[in-house]
Amino acid sequence: MEITLARKNEKTGQLCYSYSNVEKLLDAVRTNKYATYGMLFREGFDQLRDASESRYYNQIYQVMVSARYGRTTEGERVFRSYSGVLALQVKGLHEPQKIASLKEKAMLLPQTLAAMTGCDGQSLVVLVLVALPGNQRPKQEHEAELFHIKS
């Protein structure tokens, strides 16, 4: 399952896309490969009105787990494929014990791929796998959007 990683190019202001798979993303989370950016971002998070005000905001990838996007020759964003991964986020969890408890419960469900603490340190992100009957996935963007919303 391919996912899209996007980061804003500071010179052009355009989103630059790179691609990975869910397994590599989960390995990076497990090994804390990007923990420094997350920690620096989290330190000043409470003082910000908007996360994009952080000087580390453009150094953190936006992870689009549900779909793979690309660019046309004209530079327009285009849908390539739907991964079937749905990211659910539970916000407002101020106690680490509560996050740990919810992670354990989420991991008991058969559809759960991963459960992790959000970048803000006060949320839980759960990745679940969804599919149509026969393990099929929508092929067109409008079908994927509708399926994703209903999931």
Side-chain angles (χ1 to χ4, degrees):
M1 288 171 277
E2 286 194 315
I3 60 171
T4 303
L5 304 169
R7 185 162 56 175
K8 188 179 275 189
N9 182 325
E10 292 181 30
K11 294 176 184 169
T12 65
Q14 188 176 30
L15 281 179
C16 298
Y17 297 124
S18 58
Y19 309 101
S20 186
N21 60 42
V22 174
E23 292 79 20
K24 285 184 182 179
L25 170 69
L26 296 178
D27 284 342
V29 170
R30 276 188 212 104
T31 60
N32 286 326
K33 185 174 180 181
Y34 300 105
T36 304
Y37 290 126
M39 181 189 68
L40 293 170
F41 183 73
R42 201 177 287 159
E43 280 177 357
F45 194 78
D46 292 333
Q47 291 86 30
L48 301 174
R49 285 177 282 134
D50 181 13
S52 62
E53 292 177 5
S54 170
R55 64 184 173 136
Y56 300 104
Y57 182 75
N58 287 333
Q59 296 174 18
I60 298 174
Y61 282 98
Q62 297 173 31
V63 181
M64 300 177 207
V65 295
S66 299
R68 181 166 189 250
Y69 290 95
R71 292 222 178 271
T72 63
T73 54
E74 294 81 31
E76 297 294 318
R77 185 186 83 161
V78 64
F79 175 83
R80 298 278 189 227
S81 63
Y82 181 70
S83 70
V85 178
L86 185 66
L88 306 173
Q89 186 174 26
V90 181
K91 295 182 178 183
L93 303 172
H94 303 289
E95 301 170 22
Q97 305 92 314
K98 184 72 171 171
I99 295 172
S101 170
L102 288 173
K103 271 188 204 179
E104 288 178 22
K105 289 177 182 174
M107 289 307 296
L108 295 174
L109 300 171
Q111 306 92 329
T112 302
L113 294 174
M116 61 197 101
T117 303
C119 190
D120 62 359
Q122 298 179 354
S123 62
L124 175 68
V125 178
V126 181
L127 300 180
V128 295
L129 188 59
V130 293
L132 293 167
N135 205 22
Q136 297 295 313
R137 292 187 212 128
K139 304 284 186 225
Q140 303 297 318
E141 185 171 19
H142 67 279
E143 294 171 347
E145 285 176 3
L146 184 61
F147 178 72
H148 196 78
I149 290 168
K150 290 187 175 194
S151 296

